[in-house]
Amino acid sequence: MAAYLQWRRFVFFDRETVREPSGQDGAGAKPFALPPGITVCDSGRGSLVFGDILCGIWFLPRSLQLSSFQAYKLRVTHLYQLKQHSILVSIGEDEEGINPLVKVWNLEKRDGGNPLCTRIFPAIPGNKPTVVSCLTVHENLNFMAIGFADGSVVLTKGDITRDRHSKTQILHEGSYPVTGLAFRQSGKTTHLFVVTTENIQSYMLSVKDYPHLELDTHGCGLRCSSLSDPSQDLQFIVAGNECVYLYQPDERGPCFAFEGQKLIVHWYRGYLIIVSKDRKTSPKSEFAGNEAQNSDKQVLNIYDLCNKFIAYSSVFDDIVDVLAEWGSLYVLTRDGKIHVLQEKDTQTKLEACKFGFLFVFALCLKNLFEMAINLAKSHHLDSDGLSEIFRQYGDHLYNKGNHDGAIQQYIRTIGKLEPSYVIRKFLDAQRIHNLTAYLQMLHLQSLANADHTTLLLNCYTKLKDSSKLEEFIKTSESEVHFDVETAIKVLRQAGYYSHAVYLAEKHEHHEWYLKIQLEDIKNYQEALHYIGKLPFEQAESNMKRYGKILMHHVPNETTELLKILCTDYRPSGGNEGPGMLEGKKTNSEEFIPVFANNSRELKAFLEHMTEVQADSPQGVYDTLLELRLQNWAHEQDEQIKEKLHNEALTLLKSGRFKTVFDKALVLCQMHSFKDGVLYLYEQGKLFQQIMHYHMQNEQYKKVIEVCELYGDQEACLWEQALGYFARKEENCKEYIAAVLKHIENKNLMPPLLVVQTLAHNSTATLSVIKDYLVNKLQKQSRQIEQDEQRIQKYREETTRIRLEIQELKASPKIFQKTKCSICTSALELPSVHFLCGHSFHQHCFESYSESDSECPTCMPENRKVMDMIRAQEQKRDLHDQFQHQLKCSNDGFSVVADYFGRGVFNKLTLITDLPSGKTATTIEAGLQRELLIHTKRST
């Protein structure tokens, strides 16, 4: 029984007869009829192409509108339509005899309505007249091969559309007719398969001299060879009467036992199409008889070589050729009809032949899983259907105990089957290696979650497979298919600290790296070195978090890193990138708590910060001051203590404590740092506190010195010093005398108050204040005499002014000025005279005067007096303010005296100038005003 009869048969194609387009009346269309006398066919570029015995070439597009043109004068024998170019190559005859012509047509260009013929040349090799048997053209338009009945093959190399750019030569000569040609392109290598009735050869055209290799010693008939597509690795197919052979350029491939006389062979979308004689009829000769000129029945079979089944089989009457176009197969028969074979879609194929899932699963139930898988793949069954087959196959193998084979099938379901379905089957400890393989593939496809990562790492640790564990975690960054943080946690829990640290460092999980180094491995030095390589922000945050631990174990190194971090930090590993030219620095004050139990390192850190970075935060200086004061207070060695004393005082005098004066003062007082307290009192101008400090320590000379230094700025210091010495029962006469002398010189206290103050001191006798009282009384006597003299002077001045006023009222005023008071030139009429005694030229007066009624010379002084009068007038109206101050003041007498001095209780009438038309009253008012101004000027 023939091998192919064992293959399953299916009907994966629908057969229909092509009919003419329906008319407008909607009547049924009759079958489409081909032109008579079709001798040769081809297809491509959206058309079926025919050549007939009447020398015409016909084009049949999808719209079934036939068109033609006359290509030759006698007949058309061969056609080749390129698939990637609108180029048609034909061979025919224009005259009687054996003189075939090759014509190259450009279908996109027209010449009088017909395609443009770009080239014509004779086909015969040399001068030997012979019949053309076959034709093929390379899709790159650089090669064309023509086979002849005498065994010759002519190769045209170059641009086949132009005469000038191509070269024709005889490639092959033999004794047997050439029945098939095919070009094969693989990369930059081009091969030409040549098949005759007796042998098969392969020529390498990409190498000079075209080396060739004989592949087999049997051939085939005309149209019984073809080239497969890449799904079959571009193999050359040769169909003999017994078998179908497949060839590579350098060797023969597999063969299939398909019996029967082959008439036509084609390759279409992964299918092998064979038209053969019905076995009931006797075969004809291999070469001449294959053209099927009789009306015998012919069988068309469509084979799937990959899955070994027949996709379609049907009987036709006298097939002319089989063409592929528009996604379908078109079978041309001698009666002029066209039959279309349309491949069914996958679902329809499965349902039509009862194949579907039921059939596939039936194969599965028969344990024919491989066949079911191949069948489903070849017909493009969706991934869900394939996954179900793989699952059933895996279940079958699992139930048989073949766990290794089962896990391989389950791996093929990844992405479709829920992983937990597989994981539950392999949780047994004896199957842990199978589970590991499945989880590995799950991670490789990036479909694993955190739980899967945990499980896989636990598998590695249970198996103690360190090599696999390292291979899993040491993948490159682009190949990471797991949750890194989960992996770190699992490895840490399992005690694989080195692996966990590797992952954390590689994937920059800095927190986990440091946590493992510090808490598990206890490698403090390495952790500190790692922090020094981190970017600034991460180094800062991790030092705040782990600084105390590091300071406890590696204090010196930690202090050095903190110094760098707070001044000019650059990662030691260059992680900030080449663009970081300037270092960064953090707030040093925030790291002071890190030194909680390391005062020596803290002192070194703070002193470094104050030296390198003068604008360090205030907290740095405050802490350094406190630290120096503590060291000074607890130091026993006098020399060292003196040094510490000077350091603390120098720091205080650096000017960094002006804004935190109170804090610095409290620190100095807490540590009894006397010089610091006094310095701060002085800087804060707390002179009374300085004196009280010396009073508490009974340092009398210091009290006097303080008064002498700061008494001018704060006079009450002398009064307090007097009161202090007055309360002392000791003999302080010397100091009291010094204080009284200064009080007397500066007139700081009334004598009565001095006497009352010293009355409390039993040791202060009259002799202590005798000189003070005598000097005071003498000064007061001199002051009384001066006051009496001034009173007498004012009385005389008042009498003189009154007489002057009376004279102005009663006697005429004689103006005897001879010079102008402005320009000092001799007076000339007209002139202006004032009662004040000033005279002016009229033009000088008009130029400088601001008012016609005022003397320009006296006007500034007069205005000052008037302003004073107006100010007093305004102040006299402040009755509400006076009442309020009187109620709120502790010393009401001083308030009354102040307002009395302002003239609030005086009644003063101010008479201003009147307009023209003066009366006697007006004149008297003017005299009073002049008198007031004169009085002010005299005083």
Side-chain angles (χ1 to χ4, degrees):
M1 188 175 183
Y4 80 95
L5 294 178
Q6 300 177 6
W7 289 17
R8 290 185 174 273
R9 293 175 178 265
F10 303 105
V11 183
F12 285 171
F13 288 82
D14 291 324
R15 172 178 173 177
E16 293 182 1
T17 301
V18 176
R19 298 181 178 276
E20 293 183 354
S22 300
Q24 295 182 355
D25 56 357
K30 60 182 180 179
F32 182 84
L34 288 171
I38 297 297
T39 58
V40 63
C41 310
D42 204 354
S43 63
R45 308 299 291 180
S47 296
L48 303 182
V49 186
F50 314 121
D52 61 13
I53 59 175
L54 300 177
C55 63
I57 294 179
W58 296 80
F59 295 94
L60 180 64
R62 197 165 191 175
S63 61
L64 302 183
Q65 301 296 323
L66 273 171
S67 62
S68 66
F69 72 96
Q70 184 174 348
Y72 294 89
K73 295 179 181 180
L74 292 181
R75 66 183 65 84
V76 180
T77 60
H78 294 82
L79 290 175
Y80 192 94
Q81 173 65 58
L82 277 81
K83 305 300 185 288
Q84 300 178 12
H85 302 276
S86 295
I87 299 295
L88 174 67
V89 179
S90 65
I91 298 179
E93 297 175 358
D94 282 340
E95 56 187 15
E96 294 293 340
I98 303 175
N99 187 21
L101 291 177
V102 178
K103 295 186 179 182
V104 180
W105 308 89
N106 189 333
L107 303 181
E108 293 181 346
K109 297 182 180 181
R110 293 289 168 178
D111 181 14
N114 297 329
L116 176 65
C117 182
T118 62
R119 185 181 181 189
I120 303 176
F121 64 94
I124 59 174
N127 296 320
K128 297 186 296 181
T130 181
V131 177
V132 175
S133 59
C134 53
L135 166 69
T136 187
V137 182
H138 199 292
E139 286 294 334
N140 64 10
L141 299 178
N142 287 326
F143 293 103
M144 179 169 61
I146 303 174
F148 296 89
D150 66 351
S152 301
V153 175
V154 173
L155 176 69
T156 300
K157 183 177 181 182
D159 189 351
I160 66 168
T161 64
R162 300 176 182 271
D163 290 324
R164 291 180 298 177
H165 301 287
S166 62
K167 180 181 179 181
T168 302
Q169 67 184 87
I170 299 176
L171 179 69
H172 172 80
E173 291 182 329
S175 303
Y176 306 103
V178 178
T179 56
L181 298 168
F183 287 107
R184 182 183 188 273
Q185 187 71 40
S186 177
K188 296 183 179 181
T189 304
T190 305
H191 289 88
L192 174 64
F193 290 102
V194 178
V195 57
T196 67
T197 56
E198 298 297 332
N199 59 28
I200 303 170
Q201 297 190 41
S202 169
Y203 285 84
M204 183 181 292
L205 303 183
S206 54
V207 179
K208 189 177 180 181
D209 299 332
Y210 307 137
H212 68 280
L213 177 67
E214 186 175 30
L215 300 177
D216 217 331
T217 56
H218 60 80
C220 65
L222 281 173
R223 302 196 297 174
C224 290
S225 62
S226 183
L227 190 71
S228 68
D229 59 20
S231 66
Q232 279 292 331
D233 199 19
L234 297 174
Q235 297 185 90
F236 188 56
I237 302 171
V238 176
N241 290 334
E242 300 297 330
C243 294
V244 173
Y245 299 91
L246 277 68
Y247 296 92
Q248 292 284 354
D250 55 354
E251 62 180 353
R252 190 177 81 176
C255 67
F256 299 91
F258 300 148
E259 295 182 353
Q261 182 182 358
K262 313 301 187 298
L263 303 177
I264 301 172
V265 172
H266 286 295
W267 184 268
Y268 169 74
R269 291 188 176 182
Y271 293 109
L272 175 63
I273 302 167
I274 296 180
V275 177
S276 59
K277 275 280 192 179
D278 193 335
R279 290 192 299 272
K280 295 179 181 179
T281 61
S282 57
K284 297 186 177 182
S285 66
E286 288 182 342
F287 185 70
N290 282 356
E291 296 184 2
Q293 298 294 330
N294 54 32
S295 59
D296 293 340
K297 297 291 184 179
Q298 297 170 359
V299 179
L300 184 146
N301 288 320
I302 302 177
Y303 298 94
D304 187 331
L305 300 183
C306 292
N307 298 300
K308 296 182 174 56
F309 67 85
I310 301 174
Y312 183 77
S313 181
S314 181
V315 177
F316 291 86
D317 292 331
D318 204 357
I319 297 175
V320 176
D321 206 342
V322 180
L323 304 178
E325 192 66 26
W326 310 309
S328 302
L329 290 173
Y330 292 86
V331 182
L332 283 62
T333 56
R334 191 66 61 185
D335 57 5
K337 294 181 180 180
I338 303 178
H339 304 273
V340 59
L341 299 180
Q342 179 70 44
E343 187 178 8
K344 299 177 181 180
D345 61 79
T346 302
Q347 189 62 32
T348 304
K349 286 189 291 186
L350 298 178
E351 292 176 356
C353 64
K354 297 182 180 179
F355 175 60
F357 284 117
L358 294 176
F359 179 71
V360 173
F361 295 153
L363 293 176
C364 295
L365 292 175
K366 295 179 181 180
N367 298 334
L368 300 176
F369 290 101
E370 291 294 341
M371 181 177 182
I373 292 170
N374 292 334
L375 202 57
K377 283 183 177 180
S378 64
H379 288 85
H380 310 292
L381 186 65
D382 61 22
S383 57
D384 292 332
L386 279 172
S387 177
E388 181 62 22
I389 298 174
F390 294 142
R391 183 194 65 78
Q392 291 196 22
Y393 194 10
D395 291 345
H396 169 72
L397 296 174
Y398 182 85
N399 293 330
K400 288 178 62 178
N402 185 1
H403 299 128
D404 294 339
I407 204 66
Q408 294 303 318
Q409 299 305 317
Y410 287 135
I411 286 174
R412 300 169 79 177
T413 67
I414 290 177
K416 297 296 181 181
L417 183 63
E418 176 62 35
S420 59
Y421 177 87
V422 180
I423 293 172
R424 283 195 298 268
K425 290 179 176 290
F426 293 90
L427 286 177
D428 191 289
Q430 296 178 352
R431 303 167 192 167
I432 194 171
H433 63 282
N434 300 123
L435 178 60
T436 303
Y438 178 81
L439 292 172
Q440 282 178 339
M441 190 58 63
L442 198 65
H443 282 81
L444 285 176
Q445 298 188 23
S446 301
L447 295 174
N449 57 30
D451 293 333
H452 298 148
T453 302
T454 302
L455 186 58
L456 177 59
L457 293 174
N458 284 329
C459 289
Y460 284 140
T461 56
K462 294 292 183 183
L463 292 171
K464 298 188 182 302
D465 192 346
S466 299
S467 60
K468 283 288 186 182
L469 180 59
E470 290 186 5
E471 180 183 353
F472 177 73
I473 67 174
K474 291 186 179 181
T475 54
S476 64
E477 182 67 28
S478 59
E479 298 175 352
V480 174
H481 304 285
F482 57 89
D483 183 76
V484 176
E485 187 170 356
T486 301
I488 294 172
K489 291 180 182 177
V490 174
L491 292 171
R492 186 189 183 197
Q493 292 173 355
Y496 285 79
Y497 300 129
S498 60
H499 296 78
V501 164
Y502 172 83
L503 268 184
E505 182 177 8
K506 179 179 179 181
H507 298 285
E508 298 183 353
H509 286 260
H510 309 308
E511 182 179 352
W512 281 107
Y513 179 91
L514 294 172
K515 188 177 293 186
I516 296 171
Q517 287 282 19
L518 296 174
E519 297 178 7
D520 300 320
I521 305 178
K522 308 293 186 183
N523 192 343
Y524 306 103
Q525 191 71 41
E526 185 62 31
L528 189 65
H529 177 68
Y530 183 82
I531 293 176
K533 297 189 295 184
L534 296 179
F536 172 76
E537 291 77 8
Q538 296 172 359
E540 178 186 19
S541 62
N542 282 293
M543 281 305 295
K544 290 178 180 178
R545 181 175 302 168
Y546 301 110
K548 289 185 179 180
I549 299 176
L550 293 170
M551 184 61 67
H552 178 70
H553 294 90
V554 281
N556 295 331
E557 294 82 354
T558 305
T559 304
E560 291 302 318
L561 179 57
L562 286 175
K563 289 179 182 179
I564 298 173
L565 189 63
C566 297
T567 53
D568 185 20
Y569 179 77
R570 290 182 177 86
S572 58
N575 293 341
E576 293 279 353
M580 182 184 174
L581 300 178
E582 296 183 1
K584 296 182 179 180
K585 60 183 179 180
T586 185
N587 186 352
S588 53
E589 185 177 0
E590 297 177 359
F591 291 95
I592 293 177
V594 172
F595 299 87
N597 299 315
N598 300 77
S599 58
R600 182 173 61 85
E601 285 76 16
L602 174 60
K603 184 173 181 289
F605 171 73
L606 296 176
E607 288 177 347
H608 174 79
M609 291 306 302
T610 56
E611 292 173 3
V612 176
Q613 189 175 325
D615 59 342
S616 294
Q618 186 59 46
V620 172
Y621 288 91
D622 295 344
T623 308
L624 180 58
L625 175 62
E626 182 177 4
L627 193 61
R628 287 183 175 179
L629 291 176
Q630 287 179 354
N631 294 339
W632 172 81
H634 295 91
E635 184 59 48
Q636 302 296 326
D637 188 287
E638 291 298 329
Q639 292 183 352
I640 299 177
K641 188 162 188 171
E642 181 64 23
K643 180 182 177 182
L644 295 174
H645 174 278
N646 294 334
E647 289 178 354
L649 194 58
T650 302
L651 182 60
L652 276 176
K653 293 181 178 181
S654 64
R656 295 294 307 185
F657 298 93
K658 294 179 180 179
T659 57
V660 289
F661 173 83
D662 294 339
K663 185 175 182 179
L665 183 60
V666 169
L667 288 174
C668 292
Q669 290 174 342
M670 286 174 56
H671 297 87
S672 302
F673 190 57
K674 167 188 169 183
D675 292 344
V677 171
L678 294 176
Y679 172 78
L680 292 173
Y681 281 159
E682 181 180 359
Q683 293 299 308
K685 296 185 178 181
L686 303 177
F687 307 127
Q688 295 188 35
Q689 280 78 356
I690 296 176
M691 190 170 67
H692 290 164
Y693 180 85
H694 293 306
M695 289 177 178
Q696 290 175 359
N697 294 301
E698 297 185 351
Q699 298 174 341
Y700 302 149
K701 291 184 178 181
K702 291 291 185 180
V703 173
I704 299 299
E705 290 178 1
V706 170
C707 292
E708 291 175 348
L709 288 173
Y710 311 115
D712 294 339
Q713 301 180 48
E714 197 165 346
C716 64
L717 293 178
W718 291 103
E719 299 177 14
Q720 295 179 11
L722 182 63
Y724 169 73
F725 290 121
R727 289 192 297 272
K728 289 294 181 179
E729 296 299 327
E730 302 174 7
N731 187 3
C732 299
K733 295 180 180 181
E734 178 184 353
Y735 304 110
I736 293 175
V739 174
L740 286 176
K741 182 177 181 181
H742 192 83
I743 291 175
E744 177 187 354
N745 293 336
K746 297 294 182 178
N747 196 21
L748 299 178
M749 295 176 65
L752 183 59
L753 184 58
V754 173
V755 174
Q756 290 176 349
T757 301
L758 293 176
H760 299 288
N761 192 325
S762 59
T763 61
T765 59
L766 184 59
S767 61
V768 177
I769 61 171
K770 174 182 177 182
D771 294 337
Y772 168 77
L773 292 175
V774 170
N775 292 334
K776 200 66 178 174
L777 290 173
Q778 289 176 353
K779 286 183 179 180
Q780 288 182 355
S781 298
R782 288 193 295 270
Q783 184 64 39
I784 291 172
E785 292 178 0
Q786 291 176 0
D787 291 343
E788 288 178 350
Q789 291 175 2
R790 191 175 294 110
I791 291 170
Q792 183 61 32
K793 179 181 177 182
Y794 288 157
R795 285 176 178 173
E796 293 174 356
E797 185 69 20
T798 302
T799 302
R800 184 184 62 78
I801 291 174
R802 285 176 178 173
L803 291 174
E804 186 176 349
I805 293 172
Q806 184 63 33
E807 183 179 356
L808 288 174
K809 289 180 179 181
S811 303
K813 177 70 174 178
I814 299 173
F815 300 102
Q816 295 178 345
K817 286 279 186 178
T818 61
K819 292 184 179 182
C820 176
S821 299
I822 293 178
C823 66
T824 66
S825 299
L827 280 175
E828 296 177 356
L829 295 177
S831 60
V832 180
H833 303 277
F834 284 89
L835 292 176
C836 61
H838 296 104
S839 299
F840 308 92
H841 292 115
Q842 185 174 357
H843 61 274
C844 292
F845 174 75
E846 291 175 352
S847 299
Y848 290 93
S849 176
E850 296 181 4
S851 173
D852 294 340
S853 61
E854 290 187 89
C855 172
T857 304
C858 299
M859 185 175 62
E861 192 66 25
N862 292 344
R863 286 189 176 179
K864 291 182 181 179
V865 175
M866 295 303 293
D867 290 341
M868 293 173 60
I869 294 174
R870 290 191 183 95
Q872 290 182 359
E873 187 70 19
Q874 292 175 359
K875 292 179 180 179
R876 288 209 307 261
D877 296 332
L878 303 178
H879 299 295
D880 294 339
Q881 183 178 357
F882 169 72
Q883 292 294 335
H884 177 73
Q885 289 186 3
L886 190 61
K887 291 179 180 179
C888 298
S889 176
N890 295 326
D891 187 2
F893 179 79
S894 61
V895 175
V896 173
D898 179 49
Y899 275 82
F900 192 88
R902 295 183 191 178
V904 174
F905 304 106
N906 297 338
K907 185 175 181 181
L908 177 63
T909 302
L910 179 63
I911 301 176
T912 58
D913 295 334
L914 294 176
S916 60
K918 302 178 181 178
T919 61
T921 307
T922 303
I923 297 174
E924 184 176 357
L927 292 173
Q928 290 180 356
R929 185 184 61 191
E930 291 292 337
L931 176 61
L932 179 60
I933 293 173
H934 180 75
T935 304
K936 178 64 179 177
R937 186 164 58 248
S938 299
T939 56

